[in-house]
Amino acid sequence: MRNSTYFKIYSAFCFVYLLVIFLGYENLDLFLKPILIPLLSFGVYFYRNFPTKNILLLALLFSWIGDVILLFTDLGEIYFILGLVAFLTSHVAYCVLFNKQNKGEIKRNLVRFGIGSVVIGLYLIGMLSFLLPSLGALKIPVIVYASVISIMLLFAFNGYLIWKKPGNLYVFSGAAFFVLSDSILAVNKFYSPIEKSSFFIMLTYLVAQYLIVVGILKLNPKKAE
């Protein structure tokens, strides 16, 4: 089966999954959610070898572990913390992946990089300032997690400035959707419940993973026969 076929199956399955969640059948999460990221991983696995392939697979593996662990958060806060650790590891892997990705021949625009860095920094400070009063015992874990995902976004933005199109836009957009997904989750959990939060969290998360994966593959195209 070609790797592109797995991406099509992933997209179709995501549509069904999101529809189920939107309609309120969140009890089916346990059966449907664990299937999603493996489908995306198969698309990477059956792609040709490239230098950062194993790092991408590692990031997807820990994302999948996080997905599964977070299914059991109703059983205790420890599951949320363990899920946070799994996704933290995934984001560290993405940081390494973006840093190791081939730079290409595009010279970085230092002014744009500086502006982007400031914007990302302001997001981090603003989000933490907004959430800190309600974090309680989870202050340190959330601060660490928010810092790492912001660094991941910064690496993706750096890549956007120096990688070739359209892969650069895919990866950066994916990283931005990932931050958006985690932001919705954090606000919903620690500040105020958001209507249909599960749907919006998973929509942005699944789009994020897809865009990052496809972007990395576009930056590592198959060689001409």
Side-chain angles (χ1 to χ4, degrees):
M1 186 181 292
R2 293 179 56 189
N3 68 297
S4 60
T5 303
Y6 284 107
F7 293 148
K8 292 175 183 177
I9 296 173
Y10 170 82
S11 299
F13 207 93
C14 284
F15 177 80
V16 173
Y17 171 77
L18 290 170
L19 180 61
V20 167
I21 296 300
F22 183 80
L23 294 176
Y25 298 104
E26 295 185 17
N27 56 312
L28 296 177
D29 238 14
L30 186 64
F31 307 101
L32 299 177
K33 192 176 180 181
I35 301 173
L36 298 169
I37 295 301
L39 288 172
L40 202 56
S41 300
F42 286 141
V44 176
Y45 181 79
F46 289 106
Y47 194 75
R48 75 166 185 87
N49 288 328
F50 55 92
T52 55
K53 181 177 180 178
N54 289 336
I55 302 175
L56 177 55
L57 288 171
L58 184 68
L60 290 170
L61 172 63
F62 277 98
S63 292
W64 177 77
I65 293 172
D67 283 343
V68 173
I69 293 174
L70 289 178
L71 288 171
F72 302 98
T73 51
D74 290 343
L75 301 179
E77 195 73 14
I78 185 63
Y79 290 97
F80 177 77
I81 295 173
L82 291 174
L84 206 68
V85 171
F87 274 108
L88 180 69
T89 307
S90 175
H91 290 314
V92 170
Y94 275 131
C95 288
V96 174
L97 171 68
F98 299 159
N99 188 52
K100 285 183 173 291
Q101 182 59 47
N102 292 333
K103 302 299 189 295
E105 301 176 353
I106 303 173
K107 187 177 180 180
R108 181 191 293 113
N109 184 313
L110 293 178
V111 173
R112 293 177 68 189
F113 180 74
I115 293 173
S117 300
V118 169
V119 171
I120 293 170
L122 290 174
Y123 154 79
L124 175 61
I125 294 170
M127 180 58 71
L128 289 177
S129 299
F130 180 70
L131 293 175
L132 277 177
S134 55
L135 292 179
L138 290 176
K139 281 184 180 179
I140 293 179
V142 171
I143 288 172
V144 171
Y145 185 88
S147 299
V148 171
I149 195 172
S150 297
I151 293 171
M152 184 272 291
L153 181 60
L154 182 61
F155 273 113
F157 180 67
N158 179 63
Y160 171 75
L161 297 177
I162 62 177
W163 296 333
K164 293 181 180 179
K165 297 179 180 180
N168 63 340
L169 181 58
Y170 273 77
V171 173
F172 176 62
S173 298
F177 270 107
F178 223 137
V179 171
L180 177 59
S181 177
D182 282 343
S183 298
I184 297 171
L185 187 153
V187 171
N188 180 73
K189 180 174 179 62
F190 297 115
Y191 186 74
S192 177
I194 298 173
E195 188 175 356
K196 298 290 183 182
S197 59
S198 296
F199 171 78
F200 291 112
I201 290 167
M202 290 307 299
L203 172 63
T204 48
Y205 168 71
L206 294 172
V207 169
Q209 294 282 27
Y210 178 82
L211 290 175
I212 291 174
V213 166
V214 172
I216 292 296
L217 297 190
K218 285 183 179 295
L219 292 170
N220 295 273
K222 293 181 178 180
K223 295 177 181 178
E225 298 291 338

